[in-house]
């Protein structure tokens, strides 16, 4: 996901280990199956269509925005739409998309409206919807599809052309004050919003609801699980190592079957710098990408805990998955240390046959890894599951080129990150004397055990019936041209891909799996020769081309919804790709159609449905981050992140 644009920390690898990269594994698997080994001369269709051939063929939509009548067996019941470069939202024919709850919307009755000149203070922002909406989930009240709690992340604050220009209006950061720093702190975090559908079918915020809540970067939270209380989590203000103020850079999300919300701390590193003027980072701080000196957010200038020299352990208290109970307004959010400390993108759960919970997670940085957590305890319907995420086994993925069954490309295994059961970790008492050290320094533990480097793992989603797990590898645009070889056929992998795997024996707790490539994003508008890997796989066409898949989610009927956070220049390598968008794929046929396009310079992110699948909530993040948008209010207004409510005009199921 995005962050202050001058940083782009996800694209800068901090992984200096010699661990193998996934592309090298792909090349060996491809070679083993008898495919051509000719670098850019390799047909993109052969690259993917061979392993997926048993799933059927694919075709894109027509260039006029329509498509041929879909086959009766297709999951995609809508006409595809063309790209857009306009400063507006566009949705498929027969659907209505309405902006809802933009940044600054009051959550409490009697509070004044958001001030369009950016002059709201820190106290006002603490009671308003936060900035840069991201992961989102709808929790129905009593099973209703017309009333529930909409819970969403607010990842960061848009920098714009002159630093924080949207948050503070025309004055920007001049002068930079403590109140401005705290306003930025309060624009981060999570919103819990009680929403209802009125008699006219329109969604509204119930302003007098006791459920409405803002959780910010200064809200008190609790560290739980095996690492809680460890010396590396203790600070001047919290000598117990169990109490933390805030959560921030909350990217994707997850939820649990016991109705709690999981918010994921991603680029937390960008908030920690120093006013000392010197780079004093230790190896752990470097591996997690902390700023050497000052940060773009500048919180360290007024709040000492964000200065890593003054408080060297504070950064260790971030990079966790945080569990929130939205139905208990005064509940303390819990940072679940058993799930490891990485730059969490999102969290997707599945239950094992014996009802243990499995959580899949990606670490969103070039060259980092994919993880899963398997709980020790079991989920009890209607029972007490409040500590279920505090004890379990944490694994990291190692992809291999072994012979797989059916149409899959390779095999893999889950490597246990356990002090007592992993020989490499057991032998290293310097870096990992205890299991808590492994959880606090998860990246370094994964380095040691030989995890497979990936191209920025983003959202993970589990198919509702097959149990197959899909993950977006958004891109690796930093790969140099002179690093191209058979193992890395696309220099500067600008377009990204989606991979999938199935666990051995359909057991979510299995320690082995088989993997496959679902789609290789590309640009056949720019690269018309389909023998060029940059044109994408066979199911990418001039009508559905996209780059940087990011958000990912299945609906109840098994449609795979794909959201993008990529380059929106619509020129050069990205010619013909337009603004960022949301597409939908049929996993069986591999067909992909464009469903929605966002306004200029935005990211499309966050996916949530009502129980009846007739309302879809998505988010528009950082519209106009480079200064070329006035969405959603138009005119000369400040651009604002907002939720989009999508319904089908005939009242039917979304996507049908």
């Amino acid at each position: 996901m995005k962050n202050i644009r001058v940083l782009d920390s996800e694209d800068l690898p901090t992984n200096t280990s010699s661990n193998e990269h996934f592309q090298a594994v792909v090349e060996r698997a491809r070679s083993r199956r008898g495919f051509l080994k000719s670098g850019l001369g390799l047909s993109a269709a052969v690259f993917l269509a061979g392993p997926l051939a048993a799933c059927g063929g694919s075709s894109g939509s027509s260039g006029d925005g329509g498509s041929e009548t879909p086959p009766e067996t297709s999951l995609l019941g809508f006409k595809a739409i063309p790209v857009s470069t306009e400063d507006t939202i566009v949705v498929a024919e027969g659907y209505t998309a309405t902006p809802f709850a933009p940044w600054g919307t009051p959550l409490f009755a009697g509070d004044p409206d958001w001030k369009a000149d950016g002059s709201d203070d820190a106290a006002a922002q603490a009671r308003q919807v936060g900035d840069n909406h991201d992961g989102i989930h709808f929790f129905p009240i009593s099973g209703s599809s017309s009333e529930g709690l909409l819970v969403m992340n607010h990842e960061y604050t848009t920098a714009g052309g002159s630093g924080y220009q949207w948050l503070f209006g025309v004055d920007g950061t001049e002068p930079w004050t403590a109140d401005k720093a705290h306003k930025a702190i309060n624009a981060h975090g999570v919103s819990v919003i009680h929403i209802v559908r009125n008699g006219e079918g329109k969604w509204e915020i119930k302003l007098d609801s006791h459920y409405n809540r803002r959780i910010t970067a200064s809200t008190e939270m609790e560290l739980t699980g095996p690492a809680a209380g460890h010396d590396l989590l203790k600070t001047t203000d919290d000598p117990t190592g169990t109490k933390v103020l805030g959560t921030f850079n909350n990217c994707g999300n997850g939820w649990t079957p016991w109705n709690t919300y999981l918010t994921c701390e991603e680029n937390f590193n960008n908030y920690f710098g120093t006013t000392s003027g010197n780079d004093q980072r230790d190896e752990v701080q470097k591996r997690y990408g902390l700023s050497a000196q000052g940060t773009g957010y500048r919180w360290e200038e007024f709040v000492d805990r964000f200065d890593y020299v003054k408080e060297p352990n504070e950064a260790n208290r971030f990079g966790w998955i945080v569990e929130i109970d939205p139905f208990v307004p005064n509940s303390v959010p819990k940072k679940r240390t058993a799930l490891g400390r990485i730059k969490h993108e999102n969290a997707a759960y599945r239950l094992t046959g014996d009802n243990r919970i499995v959580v899949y997670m990606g670490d969103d940085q070039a060259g980092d890894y994919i993880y899963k957590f398997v709980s020790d305890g079991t989920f009890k319907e209607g029972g007490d599951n409040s500590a279920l995420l505090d004890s379990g086994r944490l694994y990291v993925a190692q992809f291999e080129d072994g012979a797989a069954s059916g149409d899959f490309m390779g095999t893999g295994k889950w490597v246990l990150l356990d002090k007592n059961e992993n020989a490499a970790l057991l032998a290293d008492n310097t870096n990992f004397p205890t299991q808590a050290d492994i959880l606090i320094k998860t990246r370094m533990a994964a380095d040691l055990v030989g995890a497979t480097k990936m191209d920025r793992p983003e959202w993970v989603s589990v198919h509702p019936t097959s149990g197959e797990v899909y993950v977006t590898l958004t891109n690796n645009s930093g790969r140099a041209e002179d690093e191209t070889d058979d193992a890395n056929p696309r220099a500067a992998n600008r377009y990204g891909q989606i991979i999938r795997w199935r666990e051995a024996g359909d057991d979510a707790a299995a320690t082995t799996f088989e993997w496959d490539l679902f789609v290789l994003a590309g640009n056949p508008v720019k690269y018309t020769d389909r023998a060029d890997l940059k044109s994408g796989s066979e199911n990418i066409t001039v009508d559905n081309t996209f780059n940087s898949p990011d958000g990912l989610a299945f609906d109840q009927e098994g449609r795979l919804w794909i959201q993008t956070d990529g380059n929106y220049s619509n020129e050069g390598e990205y010619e013909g790709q337009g603004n960022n968008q949301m597409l939908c794929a049929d996993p069986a046929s591999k067909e992909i159609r464009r469903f929605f396009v966002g306004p200029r310079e935005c990211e499309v992110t966050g996916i949530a449905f009502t129980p009846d699948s007739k309302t879809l909530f998505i988010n528009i993040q950082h519209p106009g981050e480079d200064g070329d948008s006035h969405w959603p209010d138009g005119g000369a207004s400040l651009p604002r992140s907002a939720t989009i409510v999508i319904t089908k005009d005939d009242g039917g199921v979304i996507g049908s």
Side-chain angles (χ1 to χ4, degrees):
M1 295 276 178
K2 294 284 187 186
N3 216 308
I4 284 186
R5 283 182 62 82
V6 297
L7 297 173
D8 287 334
S9 65
E10 309 101 316
D11 294 329
L12 303 175
T14 64
N15 188 349
T16 60
S17 75
S18 59
N19 290 1
E20 186 170 49
H21 196 283
F22 178 62
Q23 288 289 13
V25 182
V26 170
E27 171 59 23
R28 289 200 305 273
R30 193 176 60 195
S31 175
R32 174 182 52 77
R33 296 177 69 96
F35 296 153
L36 298 175
K37 274 185 64 178
S38 53
L40 294 180
L42 173 67
S43 165
V46 172
F47 187 82
L48 286 189
L52 290 171
C55 293
S58 65
S59 61
S61 61
S62 62
D64 64 0
S67 68
E68 297 180 359
T69 302
E72 291 184 357
T73 56
S74 175
L75 282 175
L76 312 183
F78 61 90
K79 293 181 180 179
I81 62 174
V83 299
S84 171
T85 58
E86 299 302 312
D87 194 26
T88 188
I89 55 176
V90 184
V91 71
E93 179 182 342
Y95 289 82
T96 296
T98 306
F100 181 71
W103 159 51
T105 300
L107 290 178
F108 303 97
D111 283 3
D113 290 337
W114 174 77
K115 295 179 181 178
D117 62 359
S119 61
D120 282 314
D121 61 12
Q125 179 64 83
R127 296 172 61 84
Q128 300 168 341
V129 172
D131 197 7
N132 279 328
H133 304 22
D134 208 308
I136 189 170
H137 190 69
F138 179 82
F139 291 90
I141 292 178
S142 301
S144 173
S145 289
S146 296
E147 182 177 14
L149 304 183
L150 195 64
V151 187
M152 74 175 81
N153 295 343
H154 302 292
E155 187 177 10
Y156 70 108
T157 49
T158 303
S162 60
Y164 282 131
Q165 72 182 56
W166 310 146
L167 194 62
F168 305 120
V170 294
D171 291 337
T173 57
E174 297 301 328
W176 182 236
T177 65
D179 188 76
K180 286 183 176 179
H182 284 285
K183 181 180 179 181
I185 286 171
N186 290 341
H188 287 66
V190 176
S191 290
V192 179
I193 312 171
H194 187 174
I195 63 173
V196 295
R197 186 157 31 200
N198 63 24
E200 298 177 351
K202 303 295 184 183
W203 288 93
E204 297 177 339
I205 296 174
K206 191 172 182 179
L207 291 176
D208 58 348
S209 173
H210 71 286
Y211 289 121
N212 290 346
R213 183 182 187 188
R214 275 304 319 283
I215 295 168
T216 74
S218 59
T219 300
E220 183 174 307
M221 305 189 174
E222 182 183 355
L223 285 158
T224 70
H230 189 279
D231 285 348
L232 289 175
L233 299 180
K234 296 176 180 178
T235 65
T236 302
D237 291 336
D238 174 33
T240 71
T242 61
K243 303 295 182 184
V244 182
L245 292 181
T247 184
F248 45 81
N249 210 271
N250 304 85
C251 192
N253 67 294
W255 63 94
T256 69
W258 54 92
N259 271 338
T260 60
Y261 184 76
L262 304 179
T263 186
C264 302
E265 298 177 336
E266 191 201 14
N267 291 314
F268 68 91
N269 55 299
N270 290 335
Y271 298 79
F272 293 95
T274 181
T275 58
S276 69
N278 299 311
D279 182 356
Q280 300 184 47
R281 296 172 298 169
D282 60 26
E283 291 306 307
V284 177
Q285 292 167 336
K286 290 178 180 178
R287 181 65 179 89
Y288 280 86
L290 268 64
S291 301
Q293 297 185 28
T295 71
Y297 292 105
R298 300 178 63 183
W299 296 358
E300 71 276 9
E301 296 177 31
F302 286 103
V303 186
D304 284 351
R305 67 188 177 103
F306 295 105
D307 189 318
Y308 71 80
V309 174
K310 295 177 180 177
E311 285 291 352
N313 287 343
E314 183 71 15
N316 296 336
R317 294 145 64 88
F318 296 87
W320 305 102
I321 285 181
V322 186
E323 185 174 7
I324 298 168
D325 188 341
F327 290 100
V328 182
N330 295 322
S331 60
V332 177
K334 305 292 196 297
K335 297 198 177 191
R336 302 299 193 184
T337 65
L339 278 70
R341 177 173 165 265
I342 57 175
K343 288 169 62 170
H344 287 281
E345 180 69 19
N346 86 319
Y349 86 86
R350 186 184 177 198
L351 292 175
T352 64
D354 60 359
N355 263 13
R356 285 174 293 160
I357 189 167
V358 175
V359 181
Y360 296 100
M361 305 164 284
D363 187 348
D364 183 11
Q365 189 137 14
D368 267 288
Y369 310 125
I370 293 171
Y371 299 82
K372 82 171 179 181
F373 167 84
V374 181
S375 68
D376 289 335
T378 58
F379 166 62
K380 298 176 177 59
E381 185 77 40
D384 182 6
N385 300 289
S386 60
L388 195 52
L389 298 181
D390 277 341
S391 177
R393 298 162 76 83
L394 182 65
Y395 299 85
V396 66
Q398 191 175 81
F399 290 81
E400 301 167 333
D401 63 326
S405 63
D407 57 358
F408 274 41
M409 285 190 72
T411 59
K413 62 184 178 183
W414 292 104
V415 181
L416 181 62
L417 298 177
D418 184 273
K419 176 63 180 175
N420 295 319
E421 297 186 42
N422 185 292
L425 295 171
L426 181 61
D428 189 346
N429 288 317
T430 300
N431 293 303
F432 309 109
T434 69
Q435 181 65 19
D437 292 276
I438 291 170
L439 297 172
I440 295 169
K441 296 179 281 188
T442 305
R443 280 185 167 181
M444 301 172 79
D447 293 343
L448 181 64
V449 302
T452 303
K453 295 180 179 180
M454 312 298 287
D455 281 349
R456 286 189 54 194
E458 297 253 15
W459 287 56
V460 189
S461 189
V462 181
H463 192 284
T465 55
S466 74
E468 289 177 357
V469 188
Y470 289 61
V471 63
T472 49
L473 303 180
T474 192
N475 62 58
N476 187 358
S477 56
R479 185 179 295 140
E481 293 290 337
D482 61 3
E483 293 176 349
T484 303
D485 53 32
D486 278 345
N488 300 288
R490 297 202 300 184
N493 178 14
R494 298 180 178 91
Y495 303 117
Q497 59 220 35
I498 298 174
I499 66 170
R500 61 182 177 179
W501 65 86
R502 56 190 178 203
E503 303 280 14
D506 193 30
D507 177 8
T511 56
T512 59
F513 58 89
E514 296 180 333
W515 62 267
D516 189 20
L517 289 159
F518 178 69
V519 63
L520 185 72
N523 191 355
V525 177
K526 171 71 173 178
Y527 297 99
T528 58
D529 180 2
R530 297 315 301 269
D532 190 333
L533 287 178
K534 294 178 183 177
S535 71
S537 53
E538 187 183 41
N539 51 345
I540 294 298
T541 73
V542 295
D543 299 314
N544 68 9
T545 176
F546 63 92
N547 73 84
S548 301
D550 192 328
L552 193 72
F554 281 101
D555 63 23
Q556 292 180 11
E557 296 185 11
R559 298 179 194 88
L560 182 63
W561 297 88
I562 304 166
Q563 299 171 321
T564 71
D565 175 23
N567 189 295
Y568 41 68
S569 66
N570 202 43
E571 62 185 22
E573 300 288 335
Y574 309 99
E575 175 188 353
Q577 295 190 318
N579 296 346
N580 276 306
Q581 57 192 277
M582 182 166 74
L583 309 100
C584 192
D586 182 333
S589 70
K590 301 177 295 173
E591 182 182 6
I592 300 173
R593 298 183 190 176
R594 186 179 296 109
F595 177 79
F596 175 91
V597 183
R600 291 175 184 158
E601 300 176 354
C602 81
E603 167 190 349
V604 181
T605 185
I607 308 174
F609 291 89
T610 51
D612 61 8
S613 297
K614 294 181 178 180
T615 300
L616 168 62
F617 301 95
I618 63 173
N619 283 325
I620 298 298
Q621 186 183 109
H622 62 73
E625 65 176 349
D626 288 326
D628 189 23
S629 177
H630 299 284
W631 185 88
D633 299 325
S637 64
L638 290 178
R640 303 164 74 187
S641 293
T643 296
I644 303 294
V645 180
I646 299 177
T647 54
K648 198 173 183 182
D649 295 344
D650 65 4
V653 170
I654 303 296
S656 64

